[in-house]
């Protein structure tokens, strides 16, 4: 996240505020959240209007002590530091060869007059560093890739992940799919949404000393796009019919592929589904999409021999992998939730509601 | 192969072209039967072709070039000799403003197939008026071709090409070259314009040298090879047209260039060649361009001082070592 939008101020200029009280609602790339007052006092000045997009770390408002006047704001200037740039003296030929071989001239020792780097020096360096990993291309680590990296790091660092897996018989889901022309993903979303209303502890977030259980069931779907992974959200999936889920998802995926998703369509997820089945993956350990509590990984569907009534029959089987935040729930409720998902998919009847 | 002098090679070219084409004729001060040219290049030609085709002229360079230019535009192929190249200054208006421009001014309706032969260069203690190297003057005049042949072989082949060319050609000779003896085939050949000759192959440094400096550069290259430094000597042979690609190809190989010319350094031919390399091959240069040229001074009469100002093997070796560090 590099900038956020100011959605709503809860206080006006001149109003008193207590430390910890929500003062402003901010929308990031993926979620909205309330910013709490870092100190008690009076909101002296609001610097960003509702609707403004503001870079991260920019001042949004100034809180002063009750009897404190706002001092004249002085322009804060960065102390100017004399930067003596170390000029690399290299011949044009040395520079060309360095360019052709992606050699950083700063690494090369020049043997010419006054340490000038010649073509020979670069060639010797290339020869000496042969076998080391050569960099062919450097991709800037910015934008959606960086945001994704920050978020998975945050999740992996803060939420102790545990992953459980379960096999699901999709015979009925397949029928449903054919009959109503919906996808397995639609069925999964609907099943997950149903299960989340039952096991609402999974539909939650851990915030400091509270586990907040969400009222809404907003299911995010991880979509791989050319720009990177994004997660459009199907709001109130529990209240939508299977057909409605299907049409909403279709629209969102279309928008995702064209980069047309709005902030609203990417925000407020309470649970995420990620599918690697199309790549032949059976089981994996997905990383929770913060600040959610769990994520469901979907594997491929394979025709497998299974025993039914002491007879071996072939059935289409899908593997589900549920990663959950072990701080919020233990294995048992997570397993119950997953079993619920499994049962809903296997029966598939309740989905037609 | 037989070896003949540069002088004889030139004479062979003149004679062969006079035999083949009756519009070819010579004119100049003392080129005829009595003096046979200041450096004896035209010896015997008046006897063979008659005084009509080998004409002694009054001592007026302007008149020589004016007459020659007029003859050229009426369909003749005159070869004018300026006794000392320095004296071309007297004919400069005829060369630069008439001969060089007539084809252009008449919209291509006339040609100027004129050759002006001129001995240049120092080394024989004839002082400031008779020792200069003035190729840069002509290099700056569009419409003139410039030939600088360093060997007997090139002299003959290039002179024949010059005589057959339909443009005014400044044909540079060097006083110290007339007596060099080199292999020249007996059968007919020509040397094309705009094609440089690599006089010595090498790997470490490129020397681009012209006219007599080719020989000094070759001597320097030989000396340097004993120290394990491999020098390539490129002789452009014609300055207009200039074989840029040959120079660039050599620089691409060696990454280093030393330009050796006898003319004054400032605004000299070496500056033009350096600029070509800087513009078109900078990415291949591994060391600064070095020029060995005459300091900006009149050529002294005093033999020690003359030797002091003219590029020699020692200066060339020094410059090569500077770029090779």
């Amino acid at each position: 996240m590099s900038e956020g939008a100011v959605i709503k101020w809860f206080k006006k200029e001149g109003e008193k505020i207590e430390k910890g009280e929500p003062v402003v609602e901010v929308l990031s790339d993926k979620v909205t959240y309330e910013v709490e007052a870092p100190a008690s006092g009076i909101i002296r000045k609001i610097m960003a209007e509702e609707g403004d997009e503001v870079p991260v770390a920019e001042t949004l408002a100034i809180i002063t002590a009750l009897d404190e006047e706002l001092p004249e704001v002085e322009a804060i200037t960065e102390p100017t530091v004399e930067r003596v740039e170390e000029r690399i003296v290299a011949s044009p030929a040395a520079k060309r060869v360095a360019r052709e071989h992606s050699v950083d001239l700063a690494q090369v020792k020049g043997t010419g007059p006054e340490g000038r780097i010649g073509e020979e020096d670069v060639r010797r360096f290339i020869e000496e560093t042969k076998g080391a990993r050569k960099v062919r291309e450097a991709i800037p680590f910015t934008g959606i890739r960086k945001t994704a990296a920050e978020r998975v790091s945050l999740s992996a660092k803060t939420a102790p992940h545990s992953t459980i897996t379960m096999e699901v018989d999709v015979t009925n889901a397949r029928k449903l799919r054919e009959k109503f022309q919906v996808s397995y993903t639609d069925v999964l979303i609907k099943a997950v949404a149903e299960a989340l209303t039952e096991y609402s502890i999974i539909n939650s977030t851990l915030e400091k000393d509270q586990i907040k259980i969400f009222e809404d069931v907003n299911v995010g779907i991880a979509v791989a796009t050319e720009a990177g992974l994004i997660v459009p959200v199907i709001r109130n999936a529990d209240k939508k019919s299977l057909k409605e889920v299907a049409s909403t998802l279709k629209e969102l995926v279309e928008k995702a592929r064209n980069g047309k998703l709005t902030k609203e369509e990417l925000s407020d997820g309470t649970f995420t589904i990620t599918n690697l089945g199309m790549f032949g993956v059976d089981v994996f350990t997905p990383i929770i999409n913060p600040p959610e509590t769990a994520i469901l990984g979907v594997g491929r569907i394979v025709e497998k021999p299974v025993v039914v009534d002491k007879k071996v029959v072939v059935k289409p089987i899908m593997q589900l992998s549920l990663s959950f935040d072990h701080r919020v729930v233990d294995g048992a409720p997570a397993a119950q939730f997953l079993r619920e998902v499994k049962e809903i998919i296997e029966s598939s009847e309740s989905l037609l509601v | 192969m037989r070896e003949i002098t540069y002088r004889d090679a030139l004479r062979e070219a003149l004679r062969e072209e006079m035999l083949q084409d009756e519009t070819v004729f010579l004119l100049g001060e003392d080129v005829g039967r009595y003096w046979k040219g200041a450096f004896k290049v035209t010896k015997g030609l008046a006897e063979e072709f008659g005084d009509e085709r080998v004409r002694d002229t009054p001592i007026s360079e302007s008149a020589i070039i004016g007459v020659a230019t007029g003859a050229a535009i009426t369909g003749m192929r005159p070869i004018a000799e300026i006794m000392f190249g320095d004296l071309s200054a007297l004919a400069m208006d005829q060369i630069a403003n008439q001969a060089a421009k007539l084809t252009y001014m008449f919209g291509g309706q006339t040609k100027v197939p004129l050759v002006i032969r001129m001995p240049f260069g120092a080394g024989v203690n004839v002082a400031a008026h008779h020792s200069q190297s003035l190729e840069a003057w002509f290099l700056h005049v569009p419409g003139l071709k410039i030939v600088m042949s360093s060997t007997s072989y090139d002299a003959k082949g290039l002179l024949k090409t010059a005589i057959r060319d339909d443009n005014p050609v400044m044909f540079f000779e060097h006083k110290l070259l007339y007596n060099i003896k080199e292999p020249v085939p007996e059968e007919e050949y020509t040397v094309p314009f705009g094609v440089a000759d690599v006089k010595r192959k090498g790997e470490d440094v490129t020397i681009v040298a012209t006219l007599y400096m080719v020989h000094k550069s070759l001597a320097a290259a030989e000396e340097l090879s004993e120290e394990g430094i491999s020098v390539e000597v490129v002789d452009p042979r014609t300055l207009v047209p200039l074989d840029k690609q040959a120079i660039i190809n050599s620089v691409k190989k060696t990454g280093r260039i030393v330009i050796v010319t006898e003319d004054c350094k400032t605004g000299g031919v070496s500056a033009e060649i350096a600029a070509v390399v800087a513009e078109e091959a900078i990415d291949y240069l591994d060391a600064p361009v070095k020029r060995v040229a005459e300091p900006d001074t009149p050529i002294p009469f005093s033999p020690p001082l003359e030797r002091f100002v003219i590029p020699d093997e020692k200066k060339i070796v020094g410059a090569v070592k500077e770029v090779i560090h």
Side-chain angles (χ1 to χ4, degrees), chain A residues 77-85:
Chain A
T77 49
E78 292 273 327
T80 47
V81 181
E82 282 285 322
R83 273 192 67 208
V84 182
E85 210 158 288

Side-chain angles (χ1 to χ4, degrees), chain A residues 17 20 42 44 47 55 59 110 112 123 151 185 192 195 231 248 293:
Chain A
I17 189 157
I42 286 179
R44 284 288 175 191
M47 324 269 285
T59 305
R123 295 215 182 270
R151 291 174 63 78
T185 309
V192 161
V231 186
T248 310
T293 288

Side-chain angles (χ1 to χ4, degrees), chain A residues 68 208 238 269 316:
Chain A
E68 188 187 5
K208 287 189 180 158
D238 57 326

